[in-house]
């Protein structure tokens, strides 16, 4: 029987990544819970960009502020394996139930598809940090 992977959510530093690795977890979620807990908290995207090789074999998920397909593209380019939609999912649910959630996901994927096409990326695997400029 498959066992659900163990992920540590709320990663905000390289030290947190080391804790997750030392604990033998499967992956991490770089997240400041949408910035709702600590006013002025570090931007999760900056944390993601700073992790580098420290993540090793850990699966890396990212959330906090993903609102569009280009946001997804940026997170993937900075090393995320996947992203999580928080409030957009809730907004879709509140407006139109399951269909609203589906619309949010489909629109986000369509925007990612468009961003990839316009930047010459045929697959998610091709998206790397070199696609970004400071
Ligand atoms: C109403 C609400 C409740 C949440 N409850 C939890 C929670 O119980 N545990 C948790 O890890 N994150 C919780 N979160 C944070 C989300 O899982 C997620 O990290 C955050 O909303 C992502 O950022 P985004 O909303 O900007 O996409 C909550 C978020 C919202 C909006």
């Amino acid at each position: 029987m498959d066992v659900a992977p163990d992920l540590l959510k709320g990663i905000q530093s390289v030290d947190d990544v080391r804790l997750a690795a030392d604990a033998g977890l499967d992956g991490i979620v770089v997240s400041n819970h949408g910035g709702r807990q600590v006013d002025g908290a570090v931007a999760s995207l900056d944390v993601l960009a700073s992790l580098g090789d420290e993540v090793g074999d850990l699966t890396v998920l990212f959330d906090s502020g993903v609102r569009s397909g280009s946001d997804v593209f940026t997170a993937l380019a900075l090393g995320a394996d996947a992203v999580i939609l928080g409030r957009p999912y809730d907004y879709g649910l509140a407006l139109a139930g399951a269909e609203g959630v589906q619309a949010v996901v489909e629109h986000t994927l369509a925007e990612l598809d468009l961003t990839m096409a316009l930047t010459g990326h045929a697959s998610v695997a091709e998206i790397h940090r070199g696609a970004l400029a400071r």
Side-chain angles (χ1 to χ4, degrees):
M1 187 173 71
D2 286 338
V3 178
D6 290 320
L7 308 177
L8 182 62
K9 183 172 181 234
I11 299 293
Q12 290 287 275
S13 71
V14 168
D15 287 345
D16 292 344
V17 176
R18 292 192 189 114
L19 284 174
D22 291 346
L25 300 180
D26 301 300
I28 56 174
V29 184
V30 178
S31 168
N32 63 11
H33 303 295
R36 299 163 49 253
Q37 312 299 328
V38 179
D39 197 17
V42 63
S44 292
L45 202 64
D46 289 338
V47 175
L48 180 65
S50 74
L51 297 183
D53 294 336
E54 290 292 336
V55 296
D57 292 334
L58 291 168
T59 295
V60 179
L61 305 186
F62 173 82
D63 79 15
S64 302
V66 177
R67 299 291 177 267
S68 68
S70 63
D71 289 343
V72 178
F73 183 96
T74 301
L76 295 175
L78 289 175
D81 294 302
V83 303
I84 299 170
L85 298 173
R87 280 161 286 185
Y89 181 108
D90 294 338
Y91 300 151
L93 184 68
L95 285 169
E99 286 181 14
V101 174
Q102 185 169 345
V104 166
V105 174
E106 286 178 355
H107 293 171
T108 306
L109 287 173
E111 289 168 359
L112 174 61
D113 199 40
L114 183 63
T115 303
M116 288 172 58
L118 292 173
T119 57
H121 294 82
S123 72
V124 165
E126 292 179 10
I127 302 173
H128 294 294
R129 190 176 290 230
L132 305 179
R134 279 202 170 272

